[in-house]
Amino acid sequence: MKILSADYLLPISSEPIENGAIAIDETKIVAVGTTGKLAEKFPGAAPENFGEAVIMPGFVNCHSHLEITAMRGFLDDVEGDFYSWLMKLTLTRGEKLTEKDVEIAALAGALEGVRAGVTSFGDIGRFGKAGFEALKTNGLRGVLFQETEFSPKNEDAENDFAKLKDKFLDLRETETELVKVGLSPHAPYTVSRKLFERITDYAIEKNVKITIHVSESNQEKDFMESGAGFFAGVYENLNLEWNAPHTSSV
């Protein structure tokens, strides 16, 4: 057992504790209080004092894309235009970055998170394995959400779901106590209605966590509410059918 102490401890669920400490038994926090009280309660524990510092729970990044960490700064010139941003990201990830590039980027992003105090991630990835392995390698906790590809055709839903399921099950074989796998139907404008239904039914049946991108841009809003705008043009150019639900994504 050991006792970690500092000038301040932030339990979050209660007021800050001056000269605070936590007692740790192997991998579990078993007590929280002042340094003096914990030293009395656990006289045999090994002490470690961090001095002028704060001990607090780790941060949670509930929506990350570790696999595109290498693009930091690369998209800044188009961040005000969602269409340009999306196209630049998609083309670069699909045509420029190698599988090794993506793996290294994910590792770098996870390590950067550790250094910033992030201990848990909800990471979303097309190349799901990269983020999954990055979380495990860095000893982090989290869920890797395997993301769908561009899958707008109802007639392809079964095949699209089979591919997604294969990726999901491959990752699930090596889940750990800390890192689990979920599913991410990317967004309302990239996933067909039938594929959404298949993913939803499967997630409910198998108790699988899900995350999704919604209401990210005015272009999405126009497409969902009226069937017009940028995404309507994309669908038309690809000869894809779209029946707008005439409601917001939310």
Side-chain angles (χ1 to χ4, degrees), residues 27 29 43-44 78 96 98 108 144 155 182 188 217 238:
T27 60
I29 296 174
V78 291
K96 303 292 185 180
T98 66
L144 182 285
E155 59 268 31
S217 67
L238 296 175

mmCIF file of all heavy atoms in Angstrom, residues 27 29 43-44 78 96 98 108 144 155 182 188 217 238:
data_model
loop_
_atom_site.group_PDB
_atom_site.id
_atom_site.type_symbol
_atom_site.label_atom_id
_atom_site.label_comp_id
_atom_site.label_asym_id
_atom_site.label_seq_id
_atom_site.Cartn_x
_atom_site.Cartn_y
_atom_site.Cartn_z
ATOM 1 N N THR A 27 -4.261 -1.481 -7.109
ATOM 2 C CA THR A 27 -4.800 -0.611 -8.164
ATOM 3 C C THR A 27 -6.040 0.161 -7.720
ATOM 4 O O THR A 27 -6.675 0.824 -8.537
ATOM 5 C CB THR A 27 -5.164 -1.447 -9.407
ATOM 6 O OG1 THR A 27 -6.156 -2.410 -9.045
ATOM 7 C CG2 THR A 27 -3.944 -2.145 -9.974
ATOM 8 N N ILE A 29 -8.059 2.939 -5.062
ATOM 9 C CA ILE A 29 -8.029 3.981 -4.041
ATOM 10 C C ILE A 29 -8.948 3.520 -2.912
ATOM 11 O O ILE A 29 -10.146 3.319 -3.120
ATOM 12 C CB ILE A 29 -8.510 5.330 -4.603
ATOM 13 C CG1 ILE A 29 -7.557 5.813 -5.698
ATOM 14 C CG2 ILE A 29 -8.611 6.373 -3.493
ATOM 15 C CD1 ILE A 29 -8.023 7.067 -6.410
ATOM 16 N N PRO A 43 -0.347 3.034 8.861
ATOM 17 C CA PRO A 43 1.031 3.340 9.279
ATOM 18 C C PRO A 43 2.102 2.620 8.465
ATOM 19 O O PRO A 43 3.241 3.082 8.392
ATOM 20 C CB PRO A 43 1.054 2.893 10.747
ATOM 21 C CG PRO A 43 -0.048 1.888 10.861
ATOM 22 C CD PRO A 43 -1.111 2.364 9.930
ATOM 23 N N GLY A 44 1.749 1.518 7.840
ATOM 24 C CA GLY A 44 2.747 0.770 7.079
ATOM 25 C C GLY A 44 2.835 1.158 5.617
ATOM 26 O O GLY A 44 3.665 0.620 4.867
ATOM 27 N N VAL A 78 -8.837 25.805 -43.113
ATOM 28 C CA VAL A 78 -10.204 25.565 -43.601
ATOM 29 C C VAL A 78 -11.184 25.333 -42.450
ATOM 30 O O VAL A 78 -12.305 24.881 -42.670
ATOM 31 C CB VAL A 78 -10.245 24.351 -44.562
ATOM 32 C CG1 VAL A 78 -9.542 24.678 -45.865
ATOM 33 C CG2 VAL A 78 -9.626 23.111 -43.914
ATOM 34 N N LYS A 96 -3.184 9.955 -48.476
ATOM 35 C CA LYS A 96 -1.824 10.369 -48.118
ATOM 36 C C LYS A 96 -1.228 9.575 -46.960
ATOM 37 O O LYS A 96 -0.055 9.202 -46.993
ATOM 38 C CB LYS A 96 -1.813 11.863 -47.762
ATOM 39 C CG LYS A 96 -2.327 12.788 -48.859
ATOM 40 C CD LYS A 96 -1.393 12.830 -50.049
ATOM 41 C CE LYS A 96 -1.874 13.857 -51.079
ATOM 42 N NZ LYS A 96 -0.987 13.917 -52.261
ATOM 43 N N THR A 98 -0.315 6.580 -44.557
ATOM 44 C CA THR A 98 -0.195 5.129 -44.588
ATOM 45 C C THR A 98 -0.731 4.552 -43.278
ATOM 46 O O THR A 98 -0.984 5.279 -42.310
ATOM 47 C CB THR A 98 1.272 4.704 -44.746
ATOM 48 O OG1 THR A 98 1.998 5.096 -43.562
ATOM 49 C CG2 THR A 98 1.895 5.354 -45.971
ATOM 50 N N ALA A 108 0.981 8.937 -30.583
ATOM 51 C CA ALA A 108 1.409 10.275 -30.171
ATOM 52 C C ALA A 108 0.271 11.026 -29.487
ATOM 53 O O ALA A 108 0.470 11.708 -28.474
ATOM 54 C CB ALA A 108 1.907 11.060 -31.383
ATOM 55 N N LEU A 144 -12.951 2.443 -27.633
ATOM 56 C CA LEU A 144 -12.651 2.734 -29.035
ATOM 57 C C LEU A 144 -13.916 2.447 -29.830
ATOM 58 O O LEU A 144 -14.408 1.314 -29.836
ATOM 59 C CB LEU A 144 -11.486 1.876 -29.533
ATOM 60 C CG LEU A 144 -10.989 2.071 -30.969
ATOM 61 C CD1 LEU A 144 -11.906 1.480 -32.023
ATOM 62 C CD2 LEU A 144 -10.765 3.554 -31.270
ATOM 63 N N GLU A 155 -29.523 -0.419 -50.047
ATOM 64 C CA GLU A 155 -29.359 -1.746 -50.644
ATOM 65 C C GLU A 155 -28.025 -2.402 -50.269
ATOM 66 O O GLU A 155 -27.856 -3.615 -50.419
ATOM 67 C CB GLU A 155 -29.493 -1.677 -52.170
ATOM 68 C CG GLU A 155 -28.506 -0.758 -52.860
ATOM 69 C CD GLU A 155 -29.038 0.653 -53.059
ATOM 70 O OE1 GLU A 155 -29.841 1.105 -52.216
ATOM 71 O OE2 GLU A 155 -28.654 1.287 -54.062
ATOM 72 N N GLY A 182 -16.660 -0.091 -28.997
ATOM 73 C CA GLY A 182 -18.030 0.275 -29.316
ATOM 74 C C GLY A 182 -18.174 0.483 -30.814
ATOM 75 O O GLY A 182 -17.267 0.174 -31.588
ATOM 76 N N PRO A 188 -25.576 11.286 -39.706
ATOM 77 C CA PRO A 188 -26.839 11.066 -40.424
ATOM 78 C C PRO A 188 -26.716 11.167 -41.938
ATOM 79 O O PRO A 188 -27.516 10.567 -42.660
ATOM 80 C CB PRO A 188 -27.745 12.178 -39.878
ATOM 81 C CG PRO A 188 -27.182 12.511 -38.550
ATOM 82 C CD PRO A 188 -25.697 12.346 -38.694
ATOM 83 N N SER A 217 -22.866 21.050 -38.494
ATOM 84 C CA SER A 217 -22.721 22.156 -39.439
ATOM 85 C C SER A 217 -24.076 22.600 -39.973
ATOM 86 O O SER A 217 -25.075 21.875 -39.893
ATOM 87 C CB SER A 217 -21.844 21.719 -40.619
ATOM 88 O OG SER A 217 -22.523 20.722 -41.386
ATOM 89 N N LEU A 238 -23.248 11.668 -56.930
ATOM 90 C CA LEU A 238 -23.002 10.236 -56.790
ATOM 91 C C LEU A 238 -24.217 9.398 -57.181
ATOM 92 O O LEU A 238 -24.208 8.178 -57.030
ATOM 93 C CB LEU A 238 -22.606 9.914 -55.339
ATOM 94 C CG LEU A 238 -21.287 10.530 -54.850
ATOM 95 C CD1 LEU A 238 -21.084 10.233 -53.371
ATOM 96 C CD2 LEU A 238 -20.110 9.997 -55.664
#
